[in-house]
Amino acid sequence: MDFGPWLARQLKQSHMSQAELAQRVGLTRAAVSAWITGRATPREETIAKIAEALDTDLGTIHTRTADTLAGLPVSWSHRPGYADGGRDFGNAAAFAFEADVEVLAREATQNSLDERLDLNQPVRVRYTLHELTGEALARFRDEIRWDDLLPHYEAAAAQDQKVGRVIAAGLRDMYERDRLVLLRVDDYNASGLTGDDYETGRFAAVVRRQLDSHKSASGAGGSYGLGKATLWATSRLGLVLMNSTLSEPHEGRTERRLIGRLDLPWREVDGQPWAGPAWFGRPDPDAKDADVTRSWWADEESVERLHLTRESAEPGTSFLVVGAHDVASLVEGTERNDDVEDDDSVHRMHHRLLEALGRNFWAAMTGGGTQRPLLEASVRTLRNGAEIFPETRVDPRVTQPSRTRALQAFLDGTTVERLTESGQVAMAAVPLVVPGRTGHGSGGEHQAVLLVTEADDRDDGKPNRVTTMRGNRMTVKAGWVPGLPVGTNPFQAVLLAGNAAGDDAPFADEAEAFLRASEPPEHDKWGQTEELRMLYSPSAYRRIAALTNQTNKAVRDLVALPKKKRNGGSERLRKSLSVGGRKAARPTTAAGPPTLEELDARIDGEGAWCVTAEVRISAGGDSWRPAPVAKLDVRSGPRPVLAWSELVAVHNCEVVDGAIHFAPGARSATFRGTTDVSTHPVRAAYSGLVVELRTDKGGQA
């Protein structure tokens, strides 16, 4: 930064006028004005006087890469209550996720993968659980200005709202047990929180904004900007501190850029309403509102006291979740910790983090051929600075041996066409017809890669599954393969689609973008989404169903047992013989229930779901009387049932008392239904829809 603008900034931050500086250095105000406008520069002896007046050193003035007030105390600034009386009782984005360290590991690690800087090197992610007690806890609270925060916490905890109850439990636990759990997520070889404090960039997307992913690459894992909310959802105190080393300079510096963000519900403190979030940083002299804080460049001692010290100057970010807890672990339970009933047991969280990283990112941690792994991940646990569990690096060969063997064979180029020996990996191509984006021309046929290998005893106990993924190699979903013949040897299969299928795969970029648009915020399946409907045709999701069917068929072909060849002479002899007496009749099997084959859905002008469904009927199954049931697709808890305002037959059926009666001999039928808006607990635009067939064969002849 040039000397003039830099000096003007320092005077503004110091609340010092040009005349006051002129008086302190023994010159006129006109001389100071000339320096600021660039019409003149001070002499060396005058620069020494300026440094003394600004209470800084000569090096700071000569380099001008930092402000002279960088060492001043930081403080909290809270967003004032809305002038219109509006009240937010929590961050809605955080409600999309549970307080679950497995979800945190999935979302945070995915974000680090998306921000990988040097594509020839893996991004390194380390999770550190740190339990503070006694004096260590007291020192940390002093460093984050706890006494300034406490009135806001007490006001929030007094409210009978979800966030208020969580905060109250966190405060009670910390004071009664004199204990606080910190969970730090460090990444290296990542971009860091670059950009201005307020303008569009990585920093503002994470610290200032909601639902801003700031990701444009088609291979990025996230696309909704929700993932970062898991950091705050995992904190019972709604508090996350950040220390970032930038990949590109901001204000002439790259190391130790710090900021904190607190997410609380609306509250009233000493008669003053506060809207929700607060930020921990330096007061911004350039802001119109004096209560606005911005990031600051911290010294090493301050970073250490905040438990945010990074191991090197390699770019990346450290996120410190204050008051971490893991409610989901109480439901799941572990044999190792059955006697532990609290949701912030560092022992349980340590093991769950290791399991989550191994289950979701084994493929990203696998290398082969000329390709290095995309990711290295590890977990460690401390108590007051002393190790409880040393740093453990996640090894995909241990956590997912069969799947890792399959992917490594693909990367090494050692796959085979058929499985004939133990340890082999068979490969087949699976077509995905990628539709063209609306108004952007046609698509093309992508060739996804299917890998199949025998299951290992060390797998997770769930063989005969297909694990799907795209370019970032995070597991999207693992599903059973239906229709396997009896006696099939246990196997594991992996489907690599989009950019994961390799550089030579046709239409890989188009497939990557298509599949990314088909993922919900949790990125745990491929199917119909609002994003997919907007970017492609309303029926584009059918291509994903076709991909699933083709994949399952290819798996069945690869794992099928070879048929035994019969001797030709014996076969001719067998045909010429017959058994005396009456032939025994072949036992008949009951026809299976009908199944939904296709489902088209849209939201009409009244806000109702309008669906058209095609039903597949097995041979002899026309006597089933299924009743269509509409439910909202929710992420947790039971699915709310919606009533039908209209249910009509379209083809090969009729509707009688809410049940579908099929025409005799029909093998398919179509019906149409519209939901009753008065039974919707939320607007249709904010939810998904599931249609089920409840079957009752009581009326069958």
Side-chain angles (χ1 to χ4, degrees), residues 52 83 91 100 108 118 237 245 317 325 425 444 463 466 609 626 631 697:
E52 183 178 356
N91 179 354
D100 184 340
D118 182 351
L237 301 177
T245 301
T317 303
H325 69 139
V425 177
V466 178
W609 282 101
K631 298 180 178 181
K697 208 174 180 183

Side-chain angles (χ1 to χ4, degrees), residues 541-542 595-601 610-616 628 644 647-651 653 660 662 668-673 691-693:
Y541 72 95
R542 295 179 181 175
T595 57
L596 281 173
E597 180 71 10
E598 297 283 354
L599 186 68
D600 280 331
C610 299
V611 301
T612 301
E614 182 178 338
V615 181
R616 172 181 288 183
W644 296 107
L647 192 62
V648 297
V650 176
H651 177 66
C653 63
I660 307 297
F662 300 117
S668 66
T670 306
F671 68 88
R672 185 171 62 247
V691 177
E692 300 174 351
L693 292 180

Side-chain angles (χ1 to χ4, degrees), residues 267-315:
R267 68 253 176 221
E268 195 169 16
V269 178
D270 296 331
Q272 172 71 39
W274 301 100
W279 288 268
F280 185 51
R282 286 186 49 216
D284 191 341
D286 296 328
K288 297 178 181 179
D289 188 337
D291 291 331
V292 173
T293 58
R294 48 157 292 159
S295 60
W296 84 101
W297 303 100
D299 56 72
E300 294 180 0
E301 292 76 14
S302 297
V303 172
E304 184 176 2
R305 291 193 297 269
L306 288 169
H307 298 280
L308 281 169
T309 300
R310 292 175 58 80
E311 67 178 27
S312 72
E314 191 174 9

